[in-house]
Amino acid sequence: MKIIYTWDNTNFSWNNNPYTWDEVALITQASDGIFDVDQWDKEKKKKLVKLICKVKGKTYDESKYVNDFKIKVSDIKLAAKEILGVEIMTENIKF
């Protein structure tokens, strides 16, 4: 099920949200196409990795970027829960 987020239907307050609208859009795209992330271009993947690090409270230093960083479904689920306030449901998948 594809969820479309707009200014009117978000589950969080924009006044005290540390995430930008671009970050909300990025995690929404990752959540909607959770298994298509591997097909994303390098720059878009880097943005997702940076966002996941931000959610986990880790510092992201682009000079230390590793090309083989694995984006896990559980990372996307965690980021979606933190940023969007929604639980991503998956079936027949082990984490």
Side-chain angles (χ1 to χ4, degrees), residues 20-32 40 43-52 76:
T20 66
W21 186 251
D22 287 341
E23 290 171 331
V24 169
L26 183 66
I27 197 60
T28 299
Q29 290 171 11
S31 299
D32 288 344
W40 287 8
E43 288 304 310
K44 195 170 182 180
K45 281 185 187 177
K46 280 170 71 170
K47 288 179 184 179
L48 182 59
V49 169
K50 186 174 182 178
L51 180 58
I52 290 169
I76 294 172

Side-chain angles (χ1 to χ4, degrees), residues 5-76:
Y5 287 93
T6 64
W7 292 104
D8 300 342
N9 71 355
T10 56
N11 294 336
F12 47 83
S13 170
W14 285 104
N15 295 335
N16 64 358
N17 184 351
Y19 305 102
T20 66
W21 186 251
D22 287 341
E23 290 171 331
V24 169
L26 183 66
I27 197 60
T28 299
Q29 290 171 11
S31 299
D32 288 344
I34 204 161
F35 299 106
D36 297 327
V37 172
D38 286 338
Q39 306 304 317
W40 287 8
D41 66 52
K42 185 177 178 179
E43 288 304 310
K44 195 170 182 180
K45 281 185 187 177
K46 280 170 71 170
K47 288 179 184 179
L48 182 59
V49 169
K50 186 174 182 178
L51 180 58
I52 290 169
C53 288
K54 182 177 179 179
V55 167
K56 290 184 171 186
K58 297 181 180 179
T59 304
Y60 175 87
D61 183 355
E62 198 163 336
S63 64
K64 293 182 181 178
Y65 181 77
V66 178
N67 287 328
D68 65 347
F69 184 88
K70 301 293 183 202
I71 299 170
K72 299 177 185 172
V73 172
S74 58
D75 292 332
I76 294 172

